Amino acid sequence: MPNYHFFAVCPRTLEPILAKELQSLGAQNIKINAGGVLFEGALETSMRACLESRYASRILMRIATRQYYDSNDIYDMAHVLPWERFFDPNMKIRVDVTAHRSPLESLDFTTLRIKDGICDRFREVCGERPSIEKMFPDVRIHAFITERHCTFYFNLSGEPLFKRGWRIEKGEAPLKENLAAGLLALSEWSAEKPLQDPFCGSGTIAIEAAQIACHIAPGLNRSFAFEKLNMFDLELWEELKEDAQAAVNLSANVKIAASDISSIVVEKAQSNAERAGLGPLLRDGRLTFTRCDAREVTPQAENGMIVTNPPYGEQSNPKSASVASMMKNVADNLKRQFSGWTAWMLTSDRKLPQQMRLSESRKIVIFNGPLECRLFKFEMVSGSFRRKNKKEEQQI
């Protein structure tokens, strides 16, 4: 069985975690790059990565790479490739081009030349050509152009892999699902540890954690672009999905509590969790969504872990002062109620520890889309705050 070259795209900082995951899925010759992981493997490996990867955003399969001088060379490259082996001319295609230090003057013109090369090839070989579709293409082709080389890829995933298929209702600025999974991995959370999210929004962190605990493959309830390519084995794909379905364990022993100040948002999170296949956990209380102000949240166990994405108090935001004040009150509540817990908080505001009057034990730079953030770790230990209260009570 031949090996192919692939590139798995992911949020920056998650590359080592993704590399380890891909290795567990059978990937070979793994190499970490900025923003993703190069790997080799059979087509089965790429299908399994689309189905089971929690951290990748896209899986790309390299078709060809060559040197170029100008856009005519790139047209020739597109024109000579045997596209008809991969997909039929009745398919709708989309071409996306990204470049790094490319001397080409216009990427839009280069994109057009690639489309022309593909369509001219089909017209000459098959007598008909594919149509161009931006919104809902059957086949997605990516071109990556550097200073000297052009590389063509098939986007095997189609819609980004963080779109698990369960999200309809969104809260404000929802956290992408693969980034939520990455936060859980970076925090080293495991299903044995009680988990809470006091700023749950649309429920992304809690839902990802519950699916991890139940071994629900993130791509189990969606389709992928590779299903429309001629080279992929439908029978093998059905077997992979059956294996993934058989691995699901909805009896997992897990305690996940999520809350938000908005009852409307909480209802949306519950609906998302139902669509994510987590109904049994909701019904017996292993996964809960409740309306609660983060300044008043209480622990569900003696110790555990908080992983959350609180509001960002950015300088450009007129709410920044109120956010800072709120986070101070949140910290006061954590000190009172959550002794023995570990809290991980993702924020773009580097002053969060200062606002909360807490010293972080660790911080990790991570990107939420284009936004540079910090994942702060706080150890909530019995300390001066609690002892001071007891002393004051004795004086009274």
Side-chain angles (χ1 to χ4, degrees):
M1 187 176 292
N3 266 15
Y4 296 86
H5 296 264
F6 303 97
F7 183 65
V9 183
C10 70
R12 288 164 61 183
T13 303
L14 298 189
E15 297 96 339
I17 295 171
L18 175 58
K20 185 177 180 180
E21 178 187 57
L22 290 169
Q23 185 177 29
S24 71
L25 298 176
Q28 303 167 5
N29 299 327
I30 295 169
K31 181 181 178 182
I32 293 175
N33 272 25
V37 178
L38 291 160
F39 68 99
E40 295 178 24
L43 293 174
E44 178 182 350
T45 306
S46 65
M47 289 191 287
R48 184 173 280 117
C50 285
L51 177 63
E52 299 191 27
S53 177
R54 298 193 181 276
Y55 313 116
S57 302
R58 292 190 298 275
I59 303 295
L60 308 177
M61 183 178 77
R62 191 174 78 192
I63 309 166
T65 186
R66 63 177 279 187
Q67 287 186 319
Y68 74 96
Y69 176 72
D70 57 20
S71 59
N72 289 326
D73 291 333
I74 294 178
Y75 168 87
D76 291 339
M77 179 182 175
H79 185 238
V80 301
L81 283 173
W83 300 100
E84 66 279 2
R85 295 183 186 175
F86 300 106
F87 61 94
D88 298 330
N90 62 350
M91 293 291 184
K92 299 174 183 178
I93 69 170
R94 171 172 172 161
V95 176
D96 292 287
V97 177
T98 56
H100 179 66
R101 295 181 178 176
S102 169
L104 297 173
E105 292 186 6
S106 171
L107 291 184
D108 288 338
F109 181 70
T110 302
T111 304
L112 182 62
R113 294 296 282 158
I114 295 171
K115 293 175 184 176
D116 288 343
I118 296 169
C119 292
D120 289 348
R121 167 78 185 195
F122 270 102
R123 187 182 292 111
E124 293 168 11
V125 174
C126 303
E128 56 181 319
R129 49 154 286 181
S131 59
I132 306 300
E133 171 61 51
K134 289 186 176 181
M135 295 299 295
F136 303 105
D138 299 309
V139 178
R140 296 170 185 251
I141 299 161
H142 288 248
F144 181 61
I145 302 173
T146 63
E147 190 173 4
R148 293 185 179 182
H149 290 84
C150 176
T151 305
F152 289 153
Y153 296 92
F154 279 128
N155 179 346
L156 301 183
S157 43
E159 287 290 306
L161 292 176
F162 60 76
K163 295 186 177 182
R164 313 296 205 208
W166 53 258
R167 186 191 295 279
I168 296 178
E169 304 289 357
K170 298 179 181 179
E172 184 179 347
L175 192 69
K176 288 184 173 60
E177 289 81 340
N178 62 336
L179 183 56
L183 300 183
L184 292 165
L186 290 169
S187 70
E188 298 183 351
W189 174 81
S190 62
E192 295 75 29
K193 301 175 184 177
L195 178 71
Q196 290 195 219
D197 179 1
F199 296 98
C200 75
S202 57
T204 311
I205 292 174
I207 291 171
E208 281 295 307
Q211 288 202 324
I212 290 169
C214 294
H215 303 289
I216 299 175
L220 197 54
N221 295 313
R222 55 160 286 176
S223 59
F224 302 95
F226 67 73
E227 295 178 58
K228 296 189 176 181
L229 294 176
N230 296 336
M231 59 194 303
F232 281 87
D233 186 333
L234 178 59
E235 185 176 345
L236 175 59
W237 174 230
E238 293 296 336
E239 289 179 6
L240 291 176
K241 288 196 293 184
E242 288 174 6
D243 290 344
Q245 186 63 58
V248 173
N249 175 21
L250 293 175
S251 300
N253 184 18
V254 65
K255 294 180 69 174
I256 300 170
S259 56
D260 197 278
I261 197 170
S262 166
S263 58
I264 295 175
V265 168
V266 167
E267 289 175 6
K268 291 178 179 179
Q270 287 177 321
S271 297
N272 286 337
E274 284 281 0
R275 281 188 293 272
L278 300 170
L281 283 76
L282 291 169
R283 286 186 277 278
D284 64 17
R286 286 174 289 157
L287 171 62
T288 60
F289 293 94
T290 56
R291 184 201 171 280
C292 183
D293 191 319
R295 292 165 288 194
E296 300 172 357
V297 68
T298 57
Q300 61 169 329
E302 288 188 8
N303 54 64
M305 184 175 288
I306 292 171
V307 180
T308 192
N309 178 215
Y312 298 170
E314 296 175 296
Q315 295 301 316
S316 59
N317 186 344
K319 298 179 181 179
S320 60
S322 61
V323 169
S325 175
M326 178 194 69
M327 293 310 296
K328 165 62 170 58
N329 293 334
V330 168
D332 288 346
N333 183 59
L334 293 180
K335 293 170 189 175
R336 290 191 192 97
Q337 304 278 4
F338 285 81
S339 175
W341 283 63
T342 301
W344 291 83
M345 297 190 178
L346 178 71
T347 179
S348 65
D349 192 341
R350 302 185 187 187
K351 294 183 178 180
L352 180 67
Q354 178 182 335
Q355 294 167 2
M356 298 181 71
R357 299 181 187 177
L358 290 171
S359 297
E360 73 274 16
S361 59
R362 190 180 175 192
K363 61 182 176 182
I364 302 170
V365 178
I366 191 168
F367 283 79
N368 185 3
L371 193 63
E372 182 178 330
C373 297
R374 300 289 185 280
L375 180 61
F376 289 107
K377 179 183 181 181
F378 302 104
E379 301 287 355
M380 308 310 301
V381 297
S382 295
S384 58
F385 190 95
R386 177 168 291 185
R387 287 196 297 270
K388 180 179 178 180
N389 285 346
K390 288 182 178 179
K391 185 176 181 181
E392 289 173 352
E393 289 174 0
Q394 292 172 354
Q395 290 175 345
I396 291 172

